[in-house]
Amino acid sequence: MALGWPNPWVNSMTIDFDFSTTLGNAWFPTPIFTASGCASSGRELAQFFPLASIGAVVTKSVMLKARMGRPTPRMAETPSGMLNSIGLQGPGIEAFLANDIPWLLENKARVIVSIAGETIEEYAVLARHLRSVPGLSAVEVNISCPNVKNRGMVFACDPDASHAVIDGVRRTLGGDLPIIVKLSPDVTDIVGIARAVVGAGADGLALINTLLGMVINTETMRPHLGGKTGGLSGPAIRPVAVRAIYQVHQAFPKVPILGMGGVRSGRDALEMVLAGASGVSVGTATFGNPTAVIAVQNELQHLLISKGFSSLRQAVGFAHRSDDLKESHDEY
């Protein structure tokens, strides 16, 4: 279906091109999303472009109770990226649902709520809060969080714990609202973790979360970040993200992937789409350019059209196809 929107924020070349995508049973007019944690719940970016003009707003991961976050300093620049150690600061699920969700829906945004818990049970309780909320497009389950019942282990590093979290969320939500599981790259076998959460009922996968890193202040000779370690994001991690997307799509070609990690341009986004991503999130780039999401969206669309695709769907996973099939886009 051609879009043909009279929308200045979407490239005018949409008339003969289907830029839409799906994650589970949720449809989005474009494949470009915000990345969780980089624009809170979208208010900061709304002053620069209408939120309805992008695929969806993925909210900052919300937890059961309000959190103050980690001590300062919380951020550090690194070559081709940055470290952050925010610590999931936020208002808690009840305040979030009372204030942020109504505002997003009033502004016509498509909303993917990201949740994070410290225990398997907390994820199920968070899902219960979301079960009756109208207007949501999907739920992102961020399992890259410390499991306080298991000596600080991250859920996403253990296939059994990952399966248990998603199984609880799936049972609580039922089958209507798509579940997108956010995985950590800090594992030796990301395909194994993907297999565990897909087996538990995940409808899609978000690849990748930040990589764990550290900066030492050479003047104080101590860790720079107040929380000592932080998540590395930005262009430095993009090759890791592309590798993870490629490997997981190869193993599960029918499971939609929301790719992220160092995307600054349409060419970066195209690389993830060709690797197997059905959608792409833009995060760290918005810190330097609040309209980066729109720029990436328009550039990606232009690139897809210039390469002869008539839809985004034709390009998803194209890097996996044999040379003889690449000669004809129409076969897909």
Side-chain angles (χ1 to χ4, degrees):
M1 180 179 67
L3 299 181
W5 295 351
N7 187 334
W9 299 100
V10 177
N11 192 293
S12 61
M13 298 176 73
T14 55
I15 294 175
D16 297 317
F17 183 78
D18 183 358
F19 204 30
S20 67
T21 193
T22 56
L23 299 173
N25 61 12
W27 178 90
F28 303 92
T30 88
I32 302 300
F33 303 73
T34 63
S36 175
C38 296
S40 188
S41 293
R43 293 178 190 264
E44 292 86 348
L45 296 182
Q47 60 187 304
F48 299 101
F49 59 87
L51 299 179
S53 65
I54 63 174
V57 172
V58 183
T59 70
K60 179 177 173 59
S61 294
V62 62
M63 301 191 75
L64 198 57
K65 303 294 184 182
R67 288 172 63 100
M68 295 298 293
R70 304 184 86 173
T72 58
R74 292 178 167 188
M75 302 180 78
E77 289 190 53
T78 64
S80 298
M82 59 173 280
L83 284 172
N84 84 82
S85 180
I86 307 302
L88 293 176
Q89 176 181 336
I93 188 66
E94 291 184 0
F96 171 80
L97 292 179
N99 301 314
D100 293 284
I101 295 300
W103 183 87
L104 282 166
L105 295 177
E106 287 171 8
N107 282 270
K108 311 300 182 185
R110 286 159 293 276
V111 183
I112 298 176
V113 175
S114 182
I115 59 173
E118 293 185 331
T119 66
I120 292 169
E121 294 76 18
E122 276 193 20
Y123 281 98
V125 174
L126 285 161
R128 192 172 302 120
H129 277 84
L130 298 177
R131 187 169 52 189
S132 59
V133 178
L136 302 185
S137 293
V139 175
E140 178 188 86
V141 183
N142 180 2
I143 58 173
S144 305
C145 299
N147 179 351
V148 296
K149 286 189 176 181
N150 195 13
R151 300 181 182 179
M153 176 179 282
V154 173
F155 290 106
C157 294
D158 177 4
D160 293 334
S162 299
H163 185 281
V165 169
I166 304 310
D167 181 64
V169 172
R170 179 84 282 167
R171 291 174 183 271
T172 303
L173 285 179
D176 294 332
L177 201 58
I179 295 173
I180 303 166
V181 184
K182 191 169 191 177
L183 300 185
S184 168
D186 292 323
V187 294
T188 55
D189 180 16
I190 198 165
V191 172
I193 304 297
R195 180 176 294 108
V197 298
V198 170
D203 299 291
L205 302 166
L207 304 173
I208 57 174
N209 207 335
T210 55
L211 288 92
L212 191 63
M214 177 184 279
V215 169
I216 301 293
N217 185 319
T218 55
E219 297 300 319
T220 65
M221 296 185 286
R222 297 291 186 274
H224 172 77
L225 296 173
K228 295 187 173 60
T229 60
L232 177 64
S233 65
I237 75 168
R238 193 175 67 252
V240 178
V242 172
R243 180 268 302 171
I245 293 165
Y246 189 94
Q247 289 179 330
V248 172
H249 180 77
Q250 187 172 47
F252 307 103
K254 295 184 179 180
V255 177
I257 294 171
L258 180 58
M260 63 199 71
V263 174
R264 293 189 300 177
S265 68
R267 191 169 296 277
D268 296 341
L270 177 61
E271 193 175 357
M272 290 188 175
V273 170
L274 297 175
S278 295
V280 176
S281 283
V282 180
T284 301
T286 61
F287 295 157
N289 175 15
T291 63
V293 181
I294 297 298
V296 170
Q297 182 166 273
N298 288 339
E299 289 169 14
L300 173 62
Q301 187 178 39
H302 177 80
L303 281 167
L304 289 167
I305 293 171
S306 69
K307 292 183 180 299
F309 294 104
S310 61
S311 70
L312 169 79
R313 195 169 293 106
Q314 290 180 339
V316 174
F318 200 75
H320 295 262
R321 297 171 192 166
S322 60
D323 290 336
D324 57 329
L325 292 180
K326 288 178 184 179
E327 294 176 2
S328 175
H329 298 175
D330 294 334
E331 293 189 35
Y332 290 85

